[in-house]
Amino acid sequence: QVQLQESGGGLVQAGGNLRLSCAASGSVVSINVMAWYRQVSGKQRELVAVIGSGGTTNYADSVKGRFTISRDSAKNTVYLQMNSLKNEDTAVYYCNAGSMWKNYWGQGTQVTVSS
């Protein structure tokens, strides 16, 4: 069993920066992929960024060049550095961890970008 806890969300002005954190606990050795998703009310949850066990990353086109996903294995934590934020980045951001057998989700953290 893996538990995920997000932090770092909040209110930020357009053009500003924010860093989200996701701390994993439990059977963390089973995790091989971690990701960030986001969801706007009434819309589907969408993939924002992924980092694999080997450090390979991938991003949604809408955030390429602005967001960076990274991982600190010593802290069992994954980060999402968000730069040059736009109003359309406003959403609830969810941490996701994948093992060979299961996916795990955090509770989400609200990011609101004001113009």
Side-chain angles (χ1 to χ4, degrees):
Q1 184 69 35
V2 174
Q3 295 173 310
L4 305 174
Q5 183 170 334
E6 302 99 335
S7 62
L11 177 65
V12 64
Q13 284 189 321
N17 309 321
L18 201 63
R19 188 179 73 164
L20 305 182
S21 299
C22 173
S25 61
S27 300
V28 294
V29 294
S30 68
I31 298 172
N32 49 31
V33 177
M34 298 194 75
W36 287 95
Y37 288 73
R38 66 186 181 187
Q39 186 171 26
V40 178
S41 295
K43 297 185 178 181
Q44 293 184 342
R45 189 172 298 185
E46 65 174 351
L47 179 65
V48 176
V50 180
I51 185 165
S53 59
T56 302
T57 60
N58 200 11
Y59 300 90
D61 288 341
S62 60
V63 306
K64 281 182 179 177
R66 300 189 298 119
F67 290 11
T68 303
I69 187 170
S70 61
R71 183 172 57 204
D72 185 340
S73 59
K75 295 182 178 180
N76 298 315
T77 301
V78 65
Y79 303 94
L80 185 67
Q81 179 66 49
M82 304 184 293
N83 297 332
S84 301
L85 283 161
K86 305 174 180 179
N87 289 143
E88 48 263 47
D89 295 319
T90 295
V92 177
Y93 284 72
Y94 295 91
C95 182
N96 171 262
S99 70
M100 184 178 295
W101 311 110
K102 294 183 66 176
N103 288 318
Y104 304 91
W105 293 94
Q107 293 296 307
T109 184
Q110 176 71 48
V111 173
T112 302
V113 183
S114 63
S115 61

